[in-house]
Amino acid sequence: MIPYSDFLFFLITAIALLPTIILGFLGKSSRKYNLFITVVMLALIFGLDMGNYTINWKATISILLFTLFQVLLIKGYHSYRKNKNHTAVFVIGVLLAILPLVLVKVLPFFNLHIFGFLGISYITFRAVQMIMETRDGMMKKDIPITELVYFLLFFPTVSSGPIDRWKRFDRDFKKVPTKEEYRELVYKGINKIFLGFLYKFILAFLLYNKILVFLPDRTYGVLDSFGGHLAYMYVYSLYLFFDFAGYSCFAIGVSYLMGIRTPENFNLPFISRNIKEFWERWHMSLSFWFRDYVYMRFVFWMMKNRWIKNRYTVSYIGYFLLFLLMGAWHGLELHYIVYGLYQALLIICFDVFERWNKKKKFWKNNKWTHAISVFITFNFVCFGFYIFSGALF
């Protein structure tokens, strides 16, 4: 069963969370029930094949073994970190944590589909994050296995995020909201869910089924013209936003109903004034994760070892690494790789321009330059999504 894909999933979720909502309105803890219902929902999401109403044993066994593997890594490194702190052990732990995800991305190129399941990327990101934060000394206390698994497999966000942080998640998990606080959470959660319906099932549906599916039809020569390519670029960009933002609204809304304030994933990204601001507004939980756990650590490591003394050169290499990995994470096809390199090039060019502009004062900040900046950024972003779609190749 694919989360948030049809009315049946919402109906089951609503029925399953009814006791949670009642307990919340009474000001009582629903922690134990939420743990139980997460197991039930995970069994439906990963274990049930809705096509023929049979048990999906491959996905079920994959997620059980994968979760066990990640829990053992996290708990094992946490125990090791109490007394020792060798860099080699940390690196091995991180590499082992991402190994299953790498295999899932690489093996299909050799026509091998040994294992894999929906959401393996986002569970991997959470596991790697916990190992890294243990290394940094941010997670000193032992985490009960039930709470660890609950965080890794939190069902509202298990398939496609947003990616939460352990300390923030744990704070919400352990706090029992007052009646007034929970009423506000329910209000916000329901609003998020209805916004998700507007985004995903109305706007994204119309953009895809009434416009987008007809644009690539070369029978009528639509994509053989410049105007056809341009239309496809803009419509696909809007569709991508409404579809993914709608899913994120569902995940955040359901999380609120369970007392977890899952962070936002989108913040009006198409009104960004530059590409850096865009990545602070688009798929924020993922971009912040890559920024904190890939880019910042790479830059710190390079500067610490002084392999390259120029900090701008180090930063630009870091951007290429960051966006190349983000592109490859979507897939190893050419258009994803080129998309990642394109985004890195945009970031670097903007950084060069920004530093130059501070000295020359060429581009001054006013309402006109603001509007022009938004227009230029929007078009560069849309061309990036055009590359991402694969239509360019």
Side-chain angles (χ1 to χ4, degrees):
M1 178 181 289
I2 301 175
Y4 315 114
S5 62
D6 52 31
F7 177 74
L8 179 60
F9 182 85
F10 286 95
L11 178 62
I12 293 172
T13 302
I15 295 171
L17 293 184
L18 192 57
T20 298
I21 296 171
I22 293 172
L23 288 169
F25 280 136
L26 294 174
K28 296 182 178 179
S29 173
S30 59
R31 204 178 307 162
K32 292 182 179 179
Y33 178 77
N34 288 344
L35 289 169
F36 164 74
I37 208 61
T38 291
V39 174
V40 174
M41 293 302 296
L42 289 172
L44 292 175
I45 293 170
F46 295 107
L48 186 62
D49 187 345
M50 294 301 294
N52 49 21
Y53 295 99
T54 58
I55 296 175
N56 188 340
W57 289 108
K58 182 179 178 180
T60 302
I61 294 171
S62 292
I63 191 171
L64 287 174
L65 292 177
F66 174 78
T67 304
L68 176 63
F69 176 71
Q70 296 292 0
V71 168
L72 289 174
L73 274 179
I74 295 168
K75 297 292 285 185
Y77 184 71
H78 189 274
S79 298
Y80 167 82
R81 178 67 175 81
K82 289 179 182 178
N83 302 312
K84 299 178 183 179
N85 189 23
H86 293 302
T87 301
V89 177
F90 164 70
V91 172
I92 292 171
V94 171
L95 292 176
L96 286 174
I98 66 173
L99 179 61
L101 177 60
V102 173
L103 292 176
V104 165
K105 297 293 183 181
V106 172
L107 289 179
F109 265 77
F110 302 97
N111 203 27
L112 296 173
H113 301 272
I114 300 173
F115 69 99
F117 54 87
L118 189 68
I120 186 172
S121 295
Y122 292 89
I123 300 172
T124 300
F125 293 148
R126 294 185 187 107
V128 170
Q129 165 201 316
M130 296 187 82
I131 293 174
M132 288 188 170
E133 291 187 353
T134 299
R135 158 82 169 187
D136 295 341
M138 297 172 63
M139 296 174 56
K140 296 180 180 179
K141 295 181 179 179
D142 285 324
I143 303 170
I145 291 180
T146 53
E147 295 180 20
L148 175 56
V149 173
Y150 186 60
F151 171 68
L152 292 176
L153 303 180
F154 185 56
F155 92 83
T157 62
V158 70
S159 58
S160 296
I163 307 169
D164 210 341
R165 303 295 174 96
W166 163 254
K167 292 187 74 173
R168 202 220 59 76
F169 181 92
D170 185 55
R171 187 168 57 248
D172 282 355
F173 174 70
K174 290 179 177 175
K175 180 184 176 183
V176 179
T178 63
K179 296 178 183 180
E180 293 73 22
E181 288 174 336
Y182 187 72
R183 274 198 290 268
E184 185 180 355
L185 279 175
V186 170
Y187 173 77
K188 290 181 178 179
I190 291 175
N191 273 290
K192 280 287 183 183
I193 291 170
F194 275 105
L195 184 62
F197 275 109
L198 172 64
Y199 280 3
K200 188 172 178 65
F201 292 126
I202 297 178
L203 297 177
F205 176 85
L206 291 174
L207 285 169
Y208 185 85
N209 289 279
K210 300 301 180 182
I211 304 176
L212 200 61
V213 293
F214 298 107
L215 290 178
D217 191 346
R218 295 185 183 277
T219 305
Y220 301 100
V222 179
L223 272 189
D224 289 337
S225 66
F226 176 77
H229 283 278
L230 202 64
Y232 185 88
M233 181 180 81
Y234 290 126
V235 173
Y236 179 80
S237 298
L238 292 174
Y239 160 75
L240 194 64
F241 167 73
F242 286 120
D243 185 70
F244 198 8
Y247 169 87
S248 294
C249 284
F250 291 142
I252 294 168
V254 174
S255 298
Y256 280 4
L257 298 181
M258 298 178 71
I260 303 294
R261 296 172 176 82
T262 293
E264 294 290 338
N265 229 6
F266 294 90
N267 180 24
L268 303 175
F270 290 139
I271 65 168
S272 302
R273 293 168 298 171
N274 56 67
I275 194 65
K276 282 186 178 179
E277 184 180 332
F278 172 79
W279 281 108
E280 293 173 354
R281 292 171 173 267
W282 175 274
H283 203 348
M284 295 184 292
S285 66
L286 180 70
S287 61
F288 292 165
W289 191 96
F290 272 95
R291 178 199 66 190
D292 294 344
Y293 299 109
V294 177
Y295 173 79
M296 294 300 294
R297 288 172 185 271
F298 171 79
V299 170
F300 175 77
W301 176 65
M302 291 291 285
M303 296 300 290
K304 181 182 178 182
N305 289 283
R306 297 184 179 181
W307 288 356
I308 300 176
K309 294 182 179 180
N310 188 302
R311 61 190 179 97
Y312 296 115
T313 302
V314 172
S315 178
Y316 297 158
I317 295 173
Y319 282 134
F320 273 111
L321 174 65
L322 167 68
F323 285 103
L324 185 61
L325 286 175
M326 286 184 70
W329 168 68
H330 286 96
L332 298 180
E333 290 81 0
L334 178 62
H335 55 280
Y336 292 133
I337 303 300
V338 173
Y339 169 77
L341 296 175
Y342 171 78
Q343 293 295 336
L345 189 61
L346 286 185
I347 288 278
I348 292 170
C349 288
F350 173 74
D351 186 77
V352 171
F353 169 78
E354 189 177 38
R355 288 191 289 113
W356 174 83
N357 192 55
K358 284 181 180 179
K359 296 178 181 179
K360 303 296 182 180
K361 307 295 182 182
F362 170 76
W363 193 262
K364 297 180 181 179
N365 189 20
N366 56 56
K367 63 180 181 180
W368 298 109
T369 57
H370 181 104
I372 294 170
S373 297
V374 170
F375 176 77
I376 293 172
T377 302
F378 175 72
N379 281 276
F380 273 111
V381 165
C382 288
F383 184 71
F385 289 143
Y386 178 64
I387 296 172
F388 180 85
S389 72
L392 183 63
F393 301 99

